[in-house]
Amino acid sequence: MNRFQVKKVAVLGAGVMGAQIAAHLVNVKVPVVLFDLPAKEGPKNGIVTRAVEGLKKLKPSPLGVLADADLIGQANYEEHMDQLKDCDLIIEAIAERMDWKLDLYSKIAPFIAEHAIVASNTSGLSITKLSEALPEAIKPRFCGIHFFNPPRYMTLVELIATPTTEPQILNDLETFVTSGLGKGVVRAKDTPNFVANRIGIAGMLATMKEVENFGLTYDVVDDLTGKRLGRASSGTFRTADVVGLDTMAHVVKTLQDNLNEKTDPFYGSFGTPPVLAKLLELKNLGQKTKAGFYKKVGRDILRFDLDSEDYVPAGQKADEVYGRMLKRPAAERLKLLRNSEGPQGQFLWAILRNSFHYAAVHLATIAETARDVDQAMRWGFGMKQGPFELWQEAGWLEVAKMIQEDIDAGKALSKAPLPEWVFKGPVAEAGGVHTAQGSWNPGKGEFQGRLQLPVYQRQHFPELLLGEAGPKFETAGSTIEENEAIRIWTLDEQVLIASIKTKMHAISPEVCEGLMAAVDLAEKDYQGLVIWSGDEPFSAGADLQAMLPAFMAVGVSAIEDAEGFMQQTMLRLRYANVPVVSAVRGLALGGGCELAVYSARRVVHMESYIGLVEVGVGLVPGAGGLTYIARRAAENAETSTGKDLLPFLTEGFTAAAMAKVGTSALESRKLGYVLHSDVIVPHKDELLFVAINEAKALFVGGYRAPHKRLFPVAGRDGKATILGSLVNMRDGGFISQHDFHIASLIANVVTGGDVEPGTLVNEDYLMTLERQAFCSLIVHPKTQERILGMLNTGKPVRN
């Protein structure tokens, strides 16, 4: 079987997108070389070098680990063209100028390997026109690839074929982008701005037009069009600032230059909004220039006022009556908004109606199916539902009639009627565009299923759209045992799966009982146990609220019993006779982190946040986290010729004492919560597949639980050294007295307490110290302030 392998990638263009695409390739272990023009002064690679250095300063970071920027190869077109011959994939990401791109293609063509795929990262230029500059031998291997910014964090990648692109080339690239880069692929037609930006930017322009119509302020609009509407929390105008107003203006210009009244009946609403024109004139381009629709001055957030051409105080919120409307079921919600008398409600109905109208009119020309549109808007614009999903949920024909009534009354942005398929035929009969058979393809006049590439067999539970058929993890497979806290089940009768069902997958005594039972069952009848709960987070930690009633009724002994039970659960996982694999996605904090580190192996989604964060609520890790740090330090020290344990302990102590969280699986590996033997998975929906196969591989390889060994601790000398540093931090005002107290207790546990350096201890001994420290803090007034503050506000209290 021939398999397309991407052993090396070239990225052409070290601008914002090119450099960040290169960074993400490094994150997923793909060797990459970044090209740009030779610098006119200094070293020839100067442009690329500055771009790579700039990656280290960006927030949020495009790199999982900042030091990995050094893994990006640096090259220029004058000296290093031969390096292209070794590349399996070449991604061109230079400026959006057709003439520049075509000139570059003519220069690189002689150096492209005969098997290599060439793809242009453009947000709207015609891929077919770009392909015309390539030799005939390369045209079948050329396509468009459109990453969304920032490439590390945005799920969507659009792939665009030309009439000469070989279908297998697109399949190979989709496989790599999905599994190798962890992205969601939508295949777009070669039309201006493709799918997501065509719908999304048209929607933003329509929103700005309706803002003028209804006289609303930007902060009120962002409050209405953010999370309340099931969209990105940044709303409309803050999103524009983040994207960059120059970038938005470029995408708008692509629409203006490549469309007209005949090709797009909404063209009349594509004029550059006056406020956008003025901000561009002032060079206030958004977040990159620290001023756009919003500007931060000290701690104050200001918004731009077009009349005065200056910034005025922001912070206005929407009328709460509309907040309540937006919580109603979809059908009721849309009727309430349409019939509301206030401008905020009328505005909301208008922008939703416009999005439904535009998507329906243009579906046939921009995408194969309605699925492509809804997935593009979910993945590219952070919407919980695409426009067709919401329309279908609210009642397809009833909403369609409301839209058409507004069109006929002249209230819509265009007089174009809804397509005939909206009211007649299979869609009307099915009550929407997404069905068990597939999603509506207006070109073929039928419901079309998902693309069946082998890579998608790795996704047991892909993200489904409303109305689509597919397995749901809550009910899939065979249930062995289930209660309100946990489900124990299997997909293949070979590996057992434990799925925590509590809120935020918090670890309660009932969850611990379930995990113990799962280990017993796995040891008896299965090859391994996978802890995977279907969605985020993996686990936000121990369920403090569940412990409070027992604490109030019985006192601290109830807490000590609960902590002891959690500790024994962790040890049961570690010493199980079958491999226990934690499949980590999202947050794994506190007890969730402990659950992961006590497993035999971790399979971790790249964008996971892992750490021991108990200090934030005035506690210490109490379910074996500190014991793990001490044991790992001893194991790491064994590989060294030195006798001193402290250097191996320092990073683990600091991470726990400062509640450090790895903001990627790669960073968590540096903190010691993910090991080099663990597997990091780019795509969230492949996590369970990989974890099950990892458990099977361990079992087939003759897995045996580790021996219960004694190991040395740093003792009183190590503790004294750590305390000396803590005293300096306290006296210097860097930490509070209570912070000092908590950190001292952590130091006491990880060094083994008042014993000689090198004393051999076991896990039970250190866990006893952990429980004592935890219970002494739970009754401390300042810790109780922190716990209540977190439970009430969700934010840490500093005291």
Side-chain angles (χ1 to χ4, degrees), residues 49-71:
T49 301
R50 286 191 291 276
V52 170
E53 287 302 308
L55 291 171
K56 299 176 184 178
K57 301 171 186 174
L58 289 178
K59 299 290 182 185
S61 177
L63 294 154
V65 176
L66 293 184
D68 283 354
D70 298 335
L71 299 176

Side-chain angles (χ1 to χ4, degrees), residues 24 38 75 115 131 167 205 226 340 345 396 477 494 507 538 579 625 756:
H24 187 60
H115 71 284
S131 73
L205 288 171
S340 66
W396 184 263
Q494 294 177 294
I507 303 170
F538 174 70
E756 289 291 328

Side-chain angles (χ1 to χ4, degrees), residues 653-671:
F653 163 78
T654 303
M658 297 181 66
K660 278 189 180 181
V661 174
T663 56
S664 70
L666 298 173
E667 194 171 81
S668 296
R669 191 160 61 192
K670 288 184 71 70
L671 295 176

Side-chain angles (χ1 to χ4, degrees), residues 199-214:
I199 300 286
I201 296 300
M204 290 180 83
L205 288 171
T207 298
M208 290 181 185
K209 197 170 186 67
E210 300 293 2
V211 167
E212 292 176 30
N213 292 343
F214 292 102

